[in-house]
Amino acid sequence: MLFTSHRLGALTLPNRIVMPPMTRSRAAAGNVATVQMAEYYAQRAGAGLIVSEGTQISPQGQGYAWTPGIHSDEQVQGWRRVTDAVHAAGGRIYAQLWHVGRVSHVALQPDGAAPVSSSALLAEGVKVFVDPTGAGPESGVGEMIQHSMPRALGEDEIPGIVADYAQATRNALAAGFDGVELHGANGYLINQFIDSQANQRTDGYGGALRNRLRFLREVVQAVVDVAGGERVGVRLAPLTTLQGAVDDTPQATYLAAAHLLGELGVGYLHIAEADWEDAPLMPVAFKQALRMIYPGTLIYAGKYTAERAAQALAEGWADLIGFGRPFIANPDLPERLRSGAVLNSPDRATYFGGGAAGFTDYPVLEEAVEA
């Protein structure tokens, strides 16, 4: 599926369902995607589009234990098993490329170095998942700890990270992905440059909004140059304040970002809404403004129900809807929504690490009926 326009025609809700990126922390040694991961994604190939879990573009980009990378030959080969399985099942899959920036720990960084960010700011209370005993993902036993104090990237280091994004895109295409999504949300590196309270730089990457959007612009341009805009998406979290990323004028900032991404020819924007209990709803007026400003496809994700999703599509400010946690427990989610079937409930204890339990063993409708 190539995303070039929001005119998708009279598709039904099941045709417009996206499986958004969800960290499951089950990569093997060397942060290589496994055969079990291939099974997991292939089971969910009925989605209109799958976006892979966040996949680090470099060793420096890792922020959690057991997450897959896409910067080594072995990692490319591992992901090829995944994409082959998804394609064999009739699905389409994009790789989500991320660099977590400061949301990391010295235990996860090469040579125990400090994580990097736009600025040397600690986000108090922001935790990362580590494997303190080296037990590995099969154990499912890790620990959430405060992220380490970051250092500010030197201006001369930034082109190297932009180049890492471009190379990760080449690797993703070599691994058989249909395209890539850049993670610019949830307080990770791109977000750390965009949001005013996370960026205290005084050089060409800080201060004025144009400067704070510069890193986003350079990364996107480098990736578009490799893959073509129609195979590139960007995930943004405009009005949330996740992991210490706060902007003083978020609506103005993210409408400007959407305009920029439209100019760069990005195929879709993936808007992450707040998904916690009692979270504030994103104003419909803001979503309508995004539709006016951005000419491509708009995907929304954030605790949608079938009813809310149908309303969003009917009102025209959304083209596709992401269902996150429901996809964990319901590999056949589109069929369940089509038929109005009861959904399985996900087991939170098995979200991160472990084996098949809570990963590839959720029943589909036929199995549930037989049981």
Side-chain angles (χ1 to χ4, degrees), residues 4-185:
T4 57
S5 170
H6 65 258
R7 297 179 181 86
L8 298 179
L11 298 177
T12 62
L13 174 58
N15 299 121
R16 294 191 177 197
I17 290 177
V18 172
M19 176 177 162
M22 291 176 287
T23 299
R24 303 305 308 274
S25 290
R26 281 171 165 84
N31 297 324
V32 174
T34 65
V35 171
Q36 191 173 71
M37 289 169 62
E39 180 184 2
Y40 166 77
Y41 282 108
Q43 287 175 342
R44 291 154 178 80
L49 173 69
I50 294 172
V51 184
S52 82
E53 60 208 274
T55 302
Q56 54 261 14
I57 63 171
S58 67
Q60 184 192 68
Q62 184 174 6
Y64 305 89
W66 317 325
T67 55
I70 197 158
H71 50 83
S72 74
D73 291 341
E74 293 77 16
Q75 291 165 355
V76 171
Q77 292 165 12
W79 277 119
R80 170 60 78 171
R81 287 193 292 267
V82 175
T83 62
D84 284 349
V86 170
H87 291 150
R92 289 158 289 200
I93 183 168
Y94 274 37
Q96 192 193 60
L97 306 181
W98 72 348
H99 188 307
V100 301
R102 71 183 179 187
V103 187
S104 185
H105 192 273
V106 293
L108 297 165
Q109 289 291 302
D111 302 320
V116 299
S117 184
S118 59
S119 302
L121 296 171
L122 187 76
E124 291 286 355
V126 173
K127 296 183 177 182
V128 296
F129 185 72
V130 300
D131 180 1
T133 65
E138 298 82 5
S139 71
V141 179
E143 184 180 350
M144 296 293 291
I145 61 175
Q146 169 70 42
H147 83 83
S148 298
M149 180 69 187
R151 67 173 180 85
L153 282 164
E155 195 167 2
D156 61 336
E157 295 179 275
I158 293 175
I161 293 180
V162 173
D164 286 341
Y165 275 101
Q167 184 58 50
T169 303
R170 295 185 193 96
N171 292 347
L173 297 179
F177 282 102
D178 298 295
V180 298
E181 176 179 291
L182 299 176
H183 201 337

Side-chain angles (χ1 to χ4, degrees), residues 24-368:
R24 303 305 308 274
S25 290
R26 281 171 165 84
N31 297 324
V32 174
T34 65
V35 171
Q36 191 173 71
M37 289 169 62
E39 180 184 2
Y40 166 77
Y41 282 108
Q43 287 175 342
R44 291 154 178 80
L49 173 69
I50 294 172
V51 184
S52 82
E53 60 208 274
T55 302
Q56 54 261 14
I57 63 171
S58 67
Q60 184 192 68
Q62 184 174 6
Y64 305 89
W66 317 325
T67 55
I70 197 158
H71 50 83
S72 74
D73 291 341
E74 293 77 16
Q75 291 165 355
V76 171
Q77 292 165 12
W79 277 119
R80 170 60 78 171
R81 287 193 292 267
V82 175
T83 62
D84 284 349
V86 170
H87 291 150
R92 289 158 289 200
I93 183 168
Y94 274 37
Q96 192 193 60
L97 306 181
W98 72 348
H99 188 307
V100 301
R102 71 183 179 187
V103 187
S104 185
H105 192 273
V106 293
L108 297 165
Q109 289 291 302
D111 302 320
V116 299
S117 184
S118 59
S119 302
L121 296 171
L122 187 76
E124 291 286 355
V126 173
K127 296 183 177 182
V128 296
F129 185 72
V130 300
D131 180 1
T133 65
E138 298 82 5
S139 71
V141 179
E143 184 180 350
M144 296 293 291
I145 61 175
Q146 169 70 42
H147 83 83
S148 298
M149 180 69 187
R151 67 173 180 85
L153 282 164
E155 195 167 2
D156 61 336
E157 295 179 275
I158 293 175
I161 293 180
V162 173
D164 286 341
Y165 275 101
Q167 184 58 50
T169 303
R170 295 185 193 96
N171 292 347
L173 297 179
F177 282 102
D178 298 295
V180 298
E181 176 179 291
L182 299 176
H183 201 337
N186 298 4
Y188 298 121
L189 185 61
I190 292 174
N191 202 176
Q192 290 159 30
F193 274 87
I194 294 174
D195 284 0
S196 57
Q197 292 188 31
N199 184 342
Q200 296 185 349
R201 301 178 73 95
T202 57
D203 59 11
Y205 291 91
L209 176 56
R210 176 180 175 82
N211 292 348
R212 288 186 282 114
L213 293 176
R214 179 180 170 185
F215 183 66
L216 172 68
R217 182 175 68 250
E218 292 179 355
V219 169
V220 170
Q221 187 62 68
V223 169
V224 167
D225 286 347
V226 172
E230 72 279 4
R231 294 192 177 194
V232 177
V234 176
R235 194 172 211 216
L236 299 174
L239 306 184
T240 61
T241 56
L242 290 173
Q243 303 195 118
V246 180
D247 190 76
D248 292 321
T249 57
Q251 293 204 23
T253 293
Y254 283 93
L255 290 175
H259 182 264
L260 168 65
L261 295 172
E263 288 185 326
L264 293 173
V266 167
Y268 74 77
L269 295 189
H270 190 170
I271 304 299
E273 297 186 63
D275 64 354
W276 53 87
E277 295 294 335
D278 300 322
L281 294 177
M282 183 178 289
V284 172
F286 177 76
K287 297 172 180 178
Q288 292 169 335
L290 280 174
R291 168 62 82 208
M292 293 171 63
I293 285 173
Y294 176 71
T297 295
L298 285 165
I299 304 172
Y300 283 85
K303 213 168 185 181
Y304 276 84
T305 62
E307 293 74 22
R308 281 190 66 216
Q311 181 180 359
L313 298 172
E315 291 179 0
W317 44 261
D319 299 307
L320 300 165
I321 301 294
F323 288 79
R325 294 180 187 90
F327 252 122
I328 290 178
N330 299 276
D332 56 347
L333 181 64
E335 178 57 32
R336 287 176 183 266
L337 293 180
R338 182 181 290 111
S339 63
V342 174
L343 302 185
N344 302 320
S345 297
D347 176 11
R348 291 177 177 271
T350 58
Y351 278 180
F352 308 113
F359 191 51
T360 57
D361 66 342
Y362 285 106
V364 297
L365 275 173
E366 292 140 357
E367 294 169 344

